[in-house]
Amino acid sequence: MSVSPLVSPAGSPQVAAPTQADLLDFVRRTAADAELIASLPLDPEGRTWVRLEGPGGSEAWLIGWPPGSGTGWHDHADSVGAFLTASGELKENSLAARLPTDGWKTLELTDGVDRERRLPAGQGRAFGRHHVHEVLNESTERHAISVHAYYPPLPRIRRYSRTGQILHLEQVERPEDWQ
């Protein structure tokens, strides 16, 4: 990863914030660590995860996905991120639309905003702030494992429900809710 040191006004060196490309490079390199991927305990009933040390102060996770599991619709608020499938295959459904960040509970989506991406082992993607998506392991028999990184560390996750073209904000989670 190419993170260049900066000098702060006080004269002490700082590290530049990781970009989406830096995060994608990190998840790609981490997913290639076969020993790390094999060390993740897998649960047939629910997702498992281990927090990792991400680049430049980012938040990173190794996540195991049992067959048929998924995240539901959500976003990562003001964080940029990247994720990559290390084993198995994941599917990402996302919205190609910029949503208002606050002040709404129900939103009608326009036609043509839905995107679908299949991510077999070795495939991943980076995304910007307020990216709304859901991630699924549609396999009926095989776990998937993925690596995720976010910067800045997740300040909140907004969870949504969706019926047709109607997106409804269900809850806002803070880090203490999932750590």
Side-chain angles (χ1 to χ4, degrees):
M1 172 173 48
S2 58
V3 175
S4 58
L6 300 175
V7 177
S8 69
S12 61
Q14 290 181 323
V15 175
T19 65
Q20 291 177 43
D22 294 331
L23 296 175
L24 186 58
D25 180 58
F26 168 79
V27 299
R28 185 171 285 119
R29 285 184 290 109
T30 303
D33 182 341
E35 187 176 327
L36 175 66
I37 301 309
S39 75
L40 181 67
L42 300 176
D43 182 335
E45 301 299 318
R47 288 189 300 154
T48 54
W49 55 87
V50 173
R51 189 161 183 171
L52 305 172
E53 187 69 34
S58 64
E59 180 172 341
W61 298 91
L62 179 62
I63 300 176
W65 306 77
S69 63
T71 60
W73 288 95
H74 67 283
D75 72 16
H76 303 283
D78 294 318
S79 297
V80 298
F83 71 101
L84 187 130
T85 305
S87 70
E89 179 176 281
L90 294 172
K91 175 183 167 186
E92 180 197 36
N93 295 318
S94 63
L95 300 178
R98 179 81 179 198
L99 302 182
T101 55
D102 290 302
W104 65 276
K105 290 280 191 185
T106 302
L107 195 64
E108 186 171 355
L109 302 171
T110 58
D111 289 334
V113 299
D114 289 296
R115 300 293 181 267
E116 178 183 307
R117 178 178 277 126
R118 296 221 170 259
L119 299 165
Q123 297 295 306
R125 71 173 318 247
F127 54 86
R129 290 168 168 73
H130 310 290
H131 175 71
V132 177
H133 69 165
E134 66 175 349
V135 180
L136 309 161
N137 176 5
E138 294 185 321
S139 173
T140 58
E141 52 197 50
R142 185 169 181 212
H143 268 80
I145 298 176
S146 57
V147 181
H148 303 247
Y150 311 98
Y151 188 86
L154 296 172
R156 61 187 171 158
I157 292 178
R158 291 180 291 226
R159 298 212 175 265
Y160 307 97
S161 62
R162 181 167 179 194
T163 305
Q165 294 301 99
I166 304 298
L167 192 67
H168 183 77
L169 176 63
E170 294 292 339
Q171 72 183 79
V172 178
E173 296 176 0
R174 307 249 177 243
E176 55 271 15
D177 297 327
W178 65 80
Q179 294 184 10

